[in-house]
Amino acid sequence: GENVEQHPSTLSVQEGDSAVIKCTYSDSASNYFPWYKQELGKGPQLIIDIRSNVGEKKDQRIAVTLNKTAKHFSLHITETQPEDSAVYFCAAIISSGTYKYIFGTGTRLKVLA
Amino acid sequence: DAGITQSPRHKVTETGTPVTLRCHQTENHRYMYWYRQDPGHGLRLIHYSYGVKDTDKGEVSDGYSVSRSKTEDFLLTLESATSSQTSVYFCAISDLRGQGDEKLFFGSGTQLSVL
């Protein structure tokens, strides 16, 4: 069935360095790709999203890229700060035919001061 | 967390007992969801609602039932709790579904332990 693979499961970076989290989806009908950040003890919160007709989107220090041919999308965080430490989830949404909202398994990011 | 309140925040119960988790929203969003979060599985949909008294199953619905008698409240019930239902449960809401731009807003979660 449809799934979203997310890598790596854990990632440690030095403060100020960049972090990249990658996701691969299986269903080419996926057309919306949000990213959620989950801080300890809280629910996931949407931080950025991208539609299938766009290749890249930026919002300050975070950016998302989408390669529809390869079915890959990635989250890029530049100039990482300690407050970026959290679990990040990608998701792929299929809204044509049978609707599905499928989450990746999450990446725990640790920013080391 | 976007006007979403989950209760209780923590619950410890025994195998075989019924448990009800509550989600209350003040956003007047049409769609409400219950997810469970487990290590290695991410977030998995249990049930969702698309209106008062309108609900449907998600991918892991066995052992769970839901009810929505008011727009603002969505209840998740474990009829007879099992240890495999030990998890963190999240309620989410959205005002769109099936339109390609669905942003989910999550509550703070309920940590449920079934002993």
Side-chain angles (χ1 to χ4, degrees):
Chain A
E2 300 87 352
N3 73 308
V4 176
E5 293 187 2
Q6 183 171 347
H7 299 281
S9 57
T10 60
L11 178 61
S12 294
V13 299
Q14 291 291 328
E15 183 179 358
D17 288 350
S18 296
V20 180
I21 302 170
K22 299 181 179 181
C23 290
T24 303
Y25 58 98
S26 60
D27 196 319
S28 57
S30 302
N31 58 0
Y32 174 60
F33 307 92
W35 284 88
Y36 291 84
K37 175 184 180 182
Q38 184 179 22
E39 298 178 341
L40 191 63
K42 297 184 178 181
Q45 183 176 12
L46 181 74
I47 55 171
I48 195 168
D49 56 7
I50 191 168
R51 300 289 303 269
S52 59
N53 59 350
V54 176
E56 183 176 1
K57 183 176 179 181
K58 289 184 178 180
D59 183 4
Q60 299 183 346
R61 294 186 299 107
I62 60 173
V64 57
T65 59
L66 172 64
N67 182 330
K68 289 179 60 180
T69 302
K71 299 181 190 173
H72 289 169
F73 59 112
S74 299
L75 178 71
H76 304 254
I77 306 174
T78 58
E79 301 174 18
T80 53
Q81 301 170 4
E83 53 264 38
D84 294 328
S85 295
V87 178
Y88 292 81
F89 291 96
C90 62
I93 288 75
I94 304 167
S95 53
S96 59
T98 303
Y99 176 85
K100 288 188 180 292
Y101 203 119
I102 305 169
F103 284 90
T105 51
T107 296
R108 182 174 299 278
L109 173 65
K110 295 181 182 179
V111 179
L112 308 172
Chain B
D1 288 321
I4 307 169
T5 304
Q6 289 187 234
S7 58
R9 289 297 312 276
H10 303 275
K11 175 78 174 178
V12 180
T13 191
E14 295 184 349
T15 299
T17 60
V19 177
T20 296
L21 308 183
R22 179 177 182 249
C23 178
H24 178 80
Q25 61 145 329
T26 57
E27 305 297 323
N28 200 35
H29 281 1
R30 176 180 177 185
Y31 302 96
M32 298 187 75
Y33 308 82
W34 278 107
Y35 283 88
R36 61 177 289 173
Q37 182 177 33
D38 304 287
H41 291 279
L43 292 153
R44 293 182 292 174
L45 182 65
I46 305 171
H47 281 280
Y48 70 96
S49 169
Y50 48 98
V52 174
K53 298 185 179 180
D54 293 323
T55 64
D56 205 350
K57 296 179 179 180
E59 60 181 306
V60 290
S61 59
D62 288 348
Y64 302 94
S65 63
V66 290
S67 66
R68 190 170 179 195
S69 59
K70 298 186 290 185
T71 299
E72 57 267 33
D73 290 327
F74 193 31
L75 303 181
L76 176 71
T77 297
L78 291 66
E79 300 292 347
S80 178
T82 68
S83 58
S84 64
Q85 293 176 312
T86 292
S87 186
V88 181
Y89 291 86
F90 286 100
C91 174
I93 64 174
S94 70
D95 57 2
L96 297 173
R97 182 173 174 85
Q99 300 181 40
D101 193 17
E102 293 87 331
K103 296 174 175 57
L104 294 179
F105 301 94
F106 286 86
S108 297
T110 294
Q111 173 70 61
L112 176 66
S113 297
V114 183
L115 305 178

